[in-house]
Amino acid sequence: MTFAVLVQYLLPHRALSRVVYWATRWTWRPWKNFLIGQIVERYKVDMAEAAQPDPFAYQHFNAFFTRKLKPNARHEDGDPTALISPADGRISQAGRIVDGRIFQAKGQDYTAAELLGDEEAAAPYRDGDFVTIYLSPRDYHRVHMPLGGTLRETVHIPGRIFSVAPFAVEAIPRLFARNERLVCHFDSPNGPFVAVMVGAVLVSSVATVWDGLVIPPYASDIRRKSFAGQGITLARFAEMARFNMGSTVILLLPPGMIELDALQSQQTVKLGQHLGRRPLPND
Protein backbone atom coordinates (compact mmCIF):
# COMPACT_ATOMS: atom_id res chain seq x y z
CA MET A 1 0.00 0.00 0.00
CA THR A 2 1.43 3.37 -0.99
CA PHE A 3 1.57 6.30 1.42
CA ALA A 4 -1.02 8.19 -0.66
CA VAL A 5 -3.49 5.29 -0.37
CA LEU A 6 -2.78 4.84 3.36
CA VAL A 7 -3.61 8.51 3.91
CA GLN A 8 -7.00 7.92 2.29
CA TYR A 9 -7.89 5.48 5.06
CA LEU A 10 -6.61 7.76 7.84
CA LEU A 11 -8.12 11.11 6.82
CA PRO A 12 -11.17 12.41 8.74
CA HIS A 13 -13.14 12.57 5.50
CA ARG A 14 -16.35 14.22 6.61
CA ALA A 15 -14.67 16.78 8.86
CA LEU A 16 -12.34 17.83 6.03
CA SER A 17 -15.21 17.97 3.56
CA ARG A 18 -17.21 20.23 5.88
CA VAL A 19 -14.25 22.61 6.19
CA VAL A 20 -13.73 22.66 2.43
CA TYR A 21 -17.46 23.19 1.84
CA TRP A 22 -17.38 26.46 3.77
CA ALA A 23 -13.91 27.50 2.61
CA THR A 24 -14.98 27.27 -1.04
CA ARG A 25 -17.91 29.60 -0.34
CA TRP A 26 -15.92 32.29 1.47
CA THR A 27 -16.32 35.52 -0.50
CA TRP A 28 -13.22 37.33 0.83
CA ARG A 29 -11.58 38.40 -2.41
CA PRO A 30 -7.90 37.57 -1.66
CA TRP A 31 -8.87 34.06 -0.51
CA LYS A 32 -11.25 33.13 -3.30
CA ASN A 33 -8.98 34.63 -5.98
CA PHE A 34 -6.03 32.66 -4.61
CA LEU A 35 -7.95 29.37 -4.80
CA ILE A 36 -9.34 30.11 -8.26
CA GLY A 37 -5.96 31.18 -9.56
CA GLN A 38 -4.33 27.97 -8.30
CA ILE A 39 -6.85 25.76 -10.11
CA VAL A 40 -6.80 27.75 -13.35
CA GLU A 41 -3.00 27.67 -13.49
CA ARG A 42 -2.40 24.13 -12.27
CA TYR A 43 -5.07 22.45 -14.40
CA LYS A 44 -5.00 24.82 -17.41
CA VAL A 45 -8.73 25.52 -17.21
CA ASP A 46 -10.14 26.86 -20.50
CA MET A 47 -12.09 29.89 -19.34
CA ALA A 48 -12.91 30.89 -22.93
CA GLU A 49 -15.74 28.31 -22.80
CA ALA A 50 -17.32 29.82 -19.68
CA ALA A 51 -20.34 32.13 -19.76
CA GLN A 52 -18.26 34.38 -17.49
CA PRO A 53 -14.69 34.04 -18.81
CA ASP A 54 -13.08 36.18 -16.07
CA PRO A 55 -12.22 33.64 -13.33
CA PHE A 56 -11.94 36.34 -10.66
CA ALA A 57 -15.42 37.73 -11.33
CA TYR A 58 -17.07 34.82 -9.50
CA GLN A 59 -18.50 35.44 -6.04
CA HIS A 60 -16.56 32.56 -4.48
CA PHE A 61 -14.58 29.48 -5.46
CA ASN A 62 -17.60 27.18 -5.70
CA ALA A 63 -19.37 29.59 -8.08
CA PHE A 64 -16.29 29.39 -10.30
CA PHE A 65 -16.10 25.62 -10.00
CA THR A 66 -19.74 25.10 -10.98
CA ARG A 67 -19.66 27.77 -13.68
CA LYS A 68 -22.02 27.74 -16.65
CA LEU A 69 -20.70 27.32 -20.16
CA LYS A 70 -21.48 29.51 -23.14
CA PRO A 71 -24.66 28.35 -24.91
CA ASN A 72 -22.80 26.75 -27.83
CA ALA A 73 -19.78 25.44 -25.95
CA ARG A 74 -21.17 21.86 -26.02
CA HIS A 75 -23.39 20.16 -28.57
CA GLU A 76 -25.76 17.24 -28.24
CA ASP A 77 -25.03 14.37 -30.64
CA GLY A 78 -27.53 14.50 -33.50
CA ASP A 79 -28.40 10.77 -33.46
CA PRO A 80 -31.82 10.52 -31.73
CA THR A 81 -31.01 6.93 -30.66
CA ALA A 82 -27.72 7.92 -28.99
CA LEU A 83 -26.62 7.64 -25.40
CA ILE A 84 -24.62 10.82 -24.79
CA SER A 85 -21.93 11.64 -22.27
CA PRO A 86 -23.53 13.30 -19.24
CA ALA A 87 -20.39 15.27 -18.41
CA ASP A 88 -16.94 16.38 -19.41
CA GLY A 89 -14.26 14.05 -18.07
CA ARG A 90 -12.45 10.81 -18.73
CA ILE A 91 -13.82 7.30 -19.08
CA SER A 92 -12.69 5.43 -15.99
CA GLN A 93 -14.19 2.16 -17.23
CA ALA A 94 -17.11 1.13 -19.44
CA GLY A 95 -18.59 -2.14 -20.62
CA ARG A 96 -20.74 -5.07 -19.63
CA ILE A 97 -22.02 -5.73 -16.13
CA VAL A 98 -21.10 -9.40 -15.67
CA ASP A 99 -23.45 -11.38 -13.44
CA GLY A 100 -24.19 -8.24 -11.46
CA ARG A 101 -20.54 -7.21 -11.06
CA ILE A 102 -19.05 -3.91 -12.31
CA PHE A 103 -15.36 -3.60 -13.19
CA GLN A 104 -13.53 -0.87 -11.27
CA ALA A 105 -9.82 -1.18 -12.19
CA LYS A 106 -6.90 -3.65 -12.14
CA GLY A 107 -8.74 -6.63 -10.71
CA GLN A 108 -11.08 -4.54 -8.56
CA ASP A 109 -14.85 -4.82 -8.95
CA TYR A 110 -18.04 -4.32 -6.96
CA THR A 111 -21.67 -5.32 -7.35
CA ALA A 112 -24.51 -3.25 -8.77
CA ALA A 113 -26.47 -4.12 -5.63
CA GLU A 114 -23.75 -2.59 -3.44
CA LEU A 115 -23.64 0.52 -5.60
CA LEU A 116 -27.42 1.03 -5.56
CA GLY A 117 -27.89 -0.14 -1.97
CA ASP A 118 -30.61 -2.56 -3.00
CA GLU A 119 -30.62 -6.08 -4.52
CA GLU A 120 -34.06 -5.63 -6.07
CA ALA A 121 -33.19 -2.26 -7.65
CA ALA A 122 -30.02 -3.78 -9.13
CA ALA A 123 -31.79 -6.76 -10.74
CA PRO A 124 -32.68 -4.99 -14.06
CA TYR A 125 -28.97 -4.21 -14.59
CA ARG A 126 -27.56 -7.65 -13.75
CA ASP A 127 -26.19 -8.28 -17.26
CA GLY A 128 -26.52 -4.76 -18.61
CA ASP A 129 -23.94 -2.08 -19.31
CA PHE A 130 -22.17 0.62 -17.35
CA VAL A 131 -20.15 3.77 -17.99
CA THR A 132 -18.00 5.39 -15.29
CA ILE A 133 -16.81 8.97 -15.95
CA TYR A 134 -14.26 10.77 -13.77
CA LEU A 135 -14.46 14.57 -13.57
CA SER A 136 -11.12 16.22 -12.77
CA PRO A 137 -10.72 19.72 -11.29
CA ARG A 138 -10.31 21.22 -14.76
CA ASP A 139 -13.64 19.94 -16.07
CA TYR A 140 -17.11 21.45 -16.34
CA HIS A 141 -18.87 20.16 -13.22
CA ARG A 142 -22.52 20.07 -14.18
CA VAL A 143 -24.04 16.70 -15.07
CA HIS A 144 -26.66 16.42 -17.79
CA MET A 145 -29.11 13.75 -18.88
CA PRO A 146 -27.55 10.93 -20.97
CA LEU A 147 -31.04 9.97 -22.15
CA GLY A 148 -34.46 11.53 -21.77
CA GLY A 149 -36.27 10.21 -18.72
CA THR A 150 -38.72 10.70 -15.86
CA LEU A 151 -37.35 10.73 -12.33
CA ARG A 152 -38.76 7.90 -10.22
CA GLU A 153 -36.66 7.92 -7.04
CA THR A 154 -33.43 9.13 -5.48
CA VAL A 155 -31.47 7.19 -2.87
CA HIS A 156 -28.87 8.93 -0.70
CA ILE A 157 -26.44 6.25 0.49
CA PRO A 158 -23.98 7.02 3.34
CA GLY A 159 -20.35 6.02 3.15
CA ARG A 160 -16.73 7.03 3.13
CA ILE A 161 -15.41 9.89 1.02
CA PHE A 162 -12.27 8.43 -0.57
CA SER A 163 -10.56 10.20 -3.45
CA VAL A 164 -11.83 9.04 -6.84
CA ALA A 165 -8.59 9.95 -8.62
CA PRO A 166 -7.10 7.08 -10.67
CA PHE A 167 -4.51 6.12 -8.03
CA ALA A 168 -7.28 5.50 -5.46
CA VAL A 169 -9.63 3.74 -7.89
CA GLU A 170 -6.85 1.26 -8.72
CA ALA A 171 -5.97 0.55 -5.07
CA ILE A 172 -9.08 0.81 -2.87
CA PRO A 173 -11.44 -2.19 -3.16
CA ARG A 174 -15.09 -1.43 -4.02
CA LEU A 175 -14.40 2.31 -3.80
CA PHE A 176 -17.50 3.52 -5.68
CA ALA A 177 -19.74 1.25 -3.61
CA ARG A 178 -18.19 2.59 -0.38
CA ASN A 179 -18.28 6.35 -1.00
CA GLU A 180 -21.23 8.59 -0.11
CA ARG A 181 -23.43 8.86 -3.20
CA LEU A 182 -26.78 9.87 -4.67
CA VAL A 183 -28.50 7.27 -6.84
CA CYS A 184 -30.99 8.71 -9.35
CA HIS A 185 -33.48 6.23 -10.87
CA PHE A 186 -35.11 7.24 -14.16
CA ASP A 187 -37.67 5.64 -16.46
CA SER A 188 -37.50 6.18 -20.21
CA PRO A 189 -39.67 4.96 -23.10
CA ASN A 190 -37.06 2.24 -23.72
CA GLY A 191 -36.50 1.13 -20.15
CA PRO A 192 -35.06 2.24 -16.81
CA PHE A 193 -31.61 3.67 -16.25
CA VAL A 194 -29.60 4.95 -13.31
CA ALA A 195 -27.20 7.88 -12.85
CA VAL A 196 -25.09 7.65 -9.68
CA MET A 197 -23.40 10.79 -8.38
CA VAL A 198 -20.41 9.57 -6.33
CA GLY A 199 -18.89 11.89 -3.73
CA ALA A 200 -15.14 12.22 -3.17
CA VAL A 201 -12.67 13.49 -0.60
CA LEU A 202 -12.97 17.26 -0.02
CA VAL A 203 -16.13 17.16 -2.12
CA SER A 204 -19.13 14.94 -1.39
CA SER A 205 -21.49 17.83 -2.16
CA VAL A 206 -24.21 17.22 -4.72
CA ALA A 207 -27.10 19.41 -5.86
CA THR A 208 -29.90 18.45 -8.25
CA VAL A 209 -32.13 20.62 -10.42
CA TRP A 210 -35.28 19.17 -8.81
CA ASP A 211 -34.25 19.16 -5.12
CA GLY A 212 -31.43 21.69 -4.69
CA LEU A 213 -28.57 20.80 -2.34
CA VAL A 214 -28.88 17.13 -1.33
CA ILE A 215 -25.39 16.37 0.05
CA PRO A 216 -24.53 17.67 2.64
CA PRO A 217 -26.07 16.93 5.05
CA TYR A 218 -24.29 13.59 5.14
CA ALA A 219 -26.39 10.49 5.70
CA SER A 220 -26.15 8.07 8.62
CA ASP A 221 -28.52 5.61 6.93
CA ILE A 222 -30.04 5.12 3.49
CA ARG A 223 -32.51 7.87 2.59
CA ARG A 224 -35.04 7.21 -0.15
CA LYS A 225 -37.18 9.87 -1.76
CA SER A 226 -39.94 8.97 -4.22
CA PHE A 227 -40.77 11.28 -7.12
CA ALA A 228 -43.32 8.92 -8.69
CA GLY A 229 -46.26 10.80 -10.15
CA GLN A 230 -44.60 14.21 -9.86
CA GLY A 231 -43.91 14.47 -13.57
CA ILE A 232 -40.23 15.43 -13.31
CA THR A 233 -39.25 14.63 -16.87
CA LEU A 234 -35.94 15.84 -18.29
CA ALA A 235 -34.90 15.78 -21.93
CA ARG A 236 -31.63 14.28 -23.06
CA PHE A 237 -28.82 16.88 -22.68
CA ALA A 238 -30.77 18.85 -20.03
CA GLU A 239 -28.89 19.68 -16.82
CA MET A 240 -29.76 17.32 -13.97
CA ALA A 241 -27.22 17.91 -11.20
CA ARG A 242 -23.85 19.31 -10.25
CA PHE A 243 -20.86 18.41 -8.13
CA ASN A 244 -19.62 21.16 -5.85
CA MET A 245 -16.04 20.27 -6.77
CA GLY A 246 -15.20 17.18 -8.81
CA SER A 247 -16.06 13.52 -8.62
CA THR A 248 -17.49 10.62 -10.64
CA VAL A 249 -20.80 9.79 -12.33
CA ILE A 250 -21.77 6.18 -13.10
CA LEU A 251 -24.48 5.17 -15.58
CA LEU A 252 -26.21 1.78 -15.41
CA LEU A 253 -28.30 0.48 -18.33
CA PRO A 254 -30.35 -2.73 -18.64
CA PRO A 255 -29.32 -5.46 -21.11
CA GLY A 256 -29.91 -4.65 -24.77
CA MET A 257 -31.01 -1.06 -24.19
CA ILE A 258 -27.82 0.51 -25.58
CA GLU A 259 -24.93 -0.77 -27.68
CA LEU A 260 -21.92 1.04 -26.26
CA ASP A 261 -19.21 2.43 -28.50
CA ALA A 262 -15.70 1.00 -28.12
CA LEU A 263 -14.92 3.23 -25.13
CA GLN A 264 -11.40 3.06 -23.74
CA SER A 265 -10.19 3.62 -20.19
CA GLN A 266 -8.85 7.19 -19.74
CA GLN A 267 -10.48 8.32 -23.01
CA THR A 268 -11.42 12.00 -22.83
CA VAL A 269 -15.12 12.72 -23.35
CA LYS A 270 -17.17 15.89 -23.59
CA LEU A 271 -20.75 16.56 -22.57
CA GLY A 272 -23.10 15.56 -25.40
CA GLN A 273 -20.61 13.18 -27.05
CA HIS A 274 -21.90 9.91 -28.55
CA LEU A 275 -21.23 6.97 -26.16
CA GLY A 276 -23.51 4.38 -27.75
CA ARG A 277 -26.84 3.92 -29.48
CA ARG A 278 -30.15 2.18 -29.05
CA PRO A 279 -30.37 -0.86 -31.35
CA LEU A 280 -32.93 -0.47 -34.12
CA PRO A 281 -35.39 -3.30 -34.91
CA ASN A 282 -33.57 -4.26 -38.13
CA ASP A 283 -30.05 -4.13 -36.65
Side-chain angles (χ1 to χ4, degrees):
M1 182 182 294
T2 66
F3 178 74
V5 173
L6 176 62
V7 167
Q8 291 296 310
Y9 285 96
L10 298 178
L11 286 173
H13 292 168
R14 288 189 173 183
L16 281 174
S17 291
R18 287 187 179 98
V19 170
V20 171
Y21 180 88
W22 293 110
T24 55
R25 287 159 177 77
W26 193 13
T27 58
W28 187 46
R29 184 176 297 275
W31 170 253
K32 62 98 174 175
N33 284 356
F34 169 76
L35 291 183
I36 292 170
Q38 289 293 306
I39 293 294
V40 170
E41 176 61 28
R42 181 175 178 181
Y43 292 98
K44 310 301 180 189
V45 178
D46 184 3
M47 293 302 298
E49 296 181 327
Q52 169 51 271
D54 179 0
F56 303 116
Y58 292 90
Q59 180 185 13
H60 46 59
F61 180 84
N62 191 65
F64 153 77
F65 213 81
T66 59
R67 62 195 174 275
K68 289 183 179 180
L69 297 181
K70 291 177 179 177
N72 295 318
R74 297 290 180 273
H75 298 281
E76 178 184 10
D77 187 272
D79 180 355
T81 70
L83 171 78
I84 63 169
S85 177
D88 287 1
R90 290 182 179 274
I91 300 292
S92 177
Q93 299 292 339
R96 185 61 53 85
I97 301 170
V98 180
D99 197 24
R101 304 197 71 86
I102 301 170
F103 182 60
Q104 181 172 297
K106 291 191 175 180
Q108 307 281 4
D109 66 8
Y110 55 94
T111 69
E114 290 175 319
L115 181 68
L116 303 185
D118 188 324
E119 289 277 358
E120 185 177 349
Y125 308 102
R126 183 175 181 82
D127 294 299
D129 297 282
F130 77 98
V131 181
T132 304
I133 299 174
Y134 166 64
L135 289 72
S136 78
R138 76 182 305 272
D139 292 315
Y140 170 64
H141 280 85
R142 302 190 184 198
V143 177
H144 293 233
M145 294 290 285
L147 298 165
T150 299
L151 182 67
R152 176 174 13 109
E153 181 184 43
T154 61
V155 185
H156 179 184
I157 302 177
R160 300 295 299 272
I161 316 176
F162 292 115
S163 170
V164 293
F167 81 90
V169 172
E170 292 176 2
I172 298 176
R174 302 171 36 257
L175 186 154
F176 298 126
R178 295 168 72 178
N179 272 18
E180 191 118 0
R181 57 202 179 275
L182 183 71
V183 178
C184 303
H185 291 275
F186 292 94
D187 292 313
S188 81
N190 298 290
F193 65 94
V194 173
V196 183
M197 306 281 288
V198 182
V201 67
L202 306 184
V203 186
S204 200
S205 181
V206 175
T208 65
V209 299
W210 56 80
D211 225 10
L213 186 66
V214 180
I215 308 173
Y218 301 118
S220 56
D221 51 20
I222 293 178
R223 300 173 180 172
R224 301 180 183 277
K225 188 170 183 178
S226 175
F227 292 89
Q230 295 189 29
I232 301 175
T233 298
L234 300 173
R236 189 183 72 167
F237 197 61
E239 182 181 340
M240 61 165 283
R242 68 184 68 175
F243 287 112
N244 297 309
M245 297 189 66
S247 196
T248 293
V249 59
I250 303 173
L251 305 179
L252 301 188
L253 305 153
M257 182 176 179
I258 294 290
E259 293 178 348
L260 292 181
D261 296 342
L263 302 171
Q264 302 297 315
S265 178
Q266 302 309 310
Q267 173 184 336
T268 299
V269 292
K270 293 289 188 183
L271 167 64
Q273 181 176 327
H274 193 288
L275 298 183
R277 61 186 287 270
R278 188 174 68 252
L280 298 176
N282 59 353
D283 281 359

